[in-house]
Amino acid sequence: MKILIAGGNGLIGKKLAVLLERTGNEVVAASRSSGVDLMTGKGLDAAIRGVDAVVDVLNSPSFEDQAVLEFFQATTTHLLQAEAATGVKHHVALSVVGSDRVPDSGYLRAKSAQENLIKAANVPFTILRATQFFEFAPGIAQFSVVDGKYRLPTALMQPVAADDVAACLVEVVSAAPRNGILELGGPEKIRLHEFVDRYLKATEVPHTIEIDPTATYFGAAIDDRSLVPQGHAVLGNLRYQDWLENLRF
């Protein structure tokens, strides 16, 4: 197939491109560096010509509530319009587990709005919701610092390796459109404060964890159901401890 990756220069996009090319697909990376501006649609018509499927792994450069909403609305609208006009057979979008369960999060509200645009369009689709990546550990840690301590909630999460996300996307785009949602999580659940603690220990960062059940996740209140798949989910293979043991820092 000829597959366009929106966000092909990002963490998942790069891994996905390698896997798709390895299995004989032709990959087109749509990004500003390749002359495609998905916020305006500039360059998209030429890039999407002859494409069989589109995989959207874009992420917003800003997490401010209004900016992230406008980003996902604009980029998704331009992609879907171009796909409908050129007969693209499958739109695959990477979303987030819990996007419909954490109303306090502007980012997750934006992802939910993106999902709704995809469902309402006339392009066959599959939405893959993934849990937090192992690679998010440093960012989560940094955001949680209050008065020199890492203040974190006890909520459950089920993090997954970026490599497993990319591998799952290959399977999704290679299959028929589901016209629905598939969820992906890691092989094991872990509490958020433990997730950060184990990362900081593995990277030998001196730290003090302050466990607070009322602490927020990037400003949003969460509980044990917020960040883990509900019901059936595909599970990644790599365990968090194995990933930590292979870190290079």
Side-chain angles (χ1 to χ4, degrees):
M1 293 190 294
K2 184 176 181 179
I3 301 170
L4 182 146
I5 302 176
N9 289 330
L11 171 65
I12 299 298
K14 289 179 179 177
K15 293 178 181 292
L16 178 60
V18 170
L19 294 178
L20 287 172
E21 289 175 342
R22 188 178 296 164
T23 51
N25 298 286
E26 179 184 353
V27 174
V28 178
S31 63
R32 288 186 176 179
S33 62
S34 65
V36 181
D37 185 346
L38 288 169
M39 278 296 291
T40 64
K42 181 180 178 181
L44 180 57
D45 288 344
I48 207 169
R49 194 171 297 125
V51 164
D52 299 296
V54 169
V55 184
D56 182 1
V57 292
L58 286 164
N59 205 1
S60 174
S62 170
F63 282 14
E64 188 276 324
D65 286 3
Q66 188 59 32
V68 72
L69 177 63
E70 291 174 356
F71 177 85
F72 284 121
Q73 286 181 326
T75 57
T76 302
T77 296
H78 289 134
L79 281 171
L80 292 169
Q81 289 176 342
E83 291 165 20
T86 56
V88 169
K89 301 178 182 68
H90 195 179
H91 178 96
V92 176
L94 180 60
S95 190
V96 185
V97 166
S99 60
D100 56 346
R101 295 195 298 273
V102 189
D104 291 345
S105 169
Y107 183 86
L108 293 182
R109 288 198 305 270
K111 293 300 288 184
S112 183
Q114 178 189 34
E115 291 182 6
N116 290 334
L117 287 172
I118 295 166
K119 293 173 188 175
N122 294 319
V123 180
F125 71 92
T126 303
I127 295 169
L128 178 66
R129 288 179 179 168
T131 55
Q132 287 65 38
F133 307 165
F134 296 162
E135 289 80 358
F136 292 172
I140 295 173
Q142 182 179 13
F143 190 85
S144 72
V145 175
V146 178
D147 296 329
K149 298 179 181 180
Y150 295 86
R151 182 171 174 264
L152 293 152
T154 57
L156 279 174
M157 59 191 306
Q158 195 169 334
V160 65
D163 284 342
D164 283 335
V165 177
C168 189
L169 283 168
V170 171
E171 294 183 8
V172 168
V173 74
S174 301
R178 288 174 170 261
N179 292 318
I181 296 169
L182 178 68
E183 293 199 330
L184 168 68
E188 55 195 349
K189 295 178 182 178
I190 182 174
R191 298 211 171 267
L192 207 155
H193 66 87
E194 185 185 356
F195 176 70
V196 171
D197 185 40
R198 287 170 63 182
Y199 171 78
L200 295 173
K201 286 177 178 175
T203 53
E204 300 178 357
V205 175
H207 65 282
T208 300
I209 298 287
E210 181 179 316
I211 300 173
D212 181 354
T214 67
T216 61
Y217 174 74
F218 291 98
I222 57 173
D223 58 29
D224 282 352
R225 299 180 69 256
S226 301
L227 303 179
V228 299
Q230 303 298 304
H232 175 74
V234 177
L235 299 182
N237 295 310
L238 186 63
R239 294 185 176 276
Y240 188 44
Q241 187 58 40
D242 295 331
W243 180 82
L244 289 172
E245 290 174 359
N246 285 286
L247 274 179
R248 299 290 181 267
F249 58 94

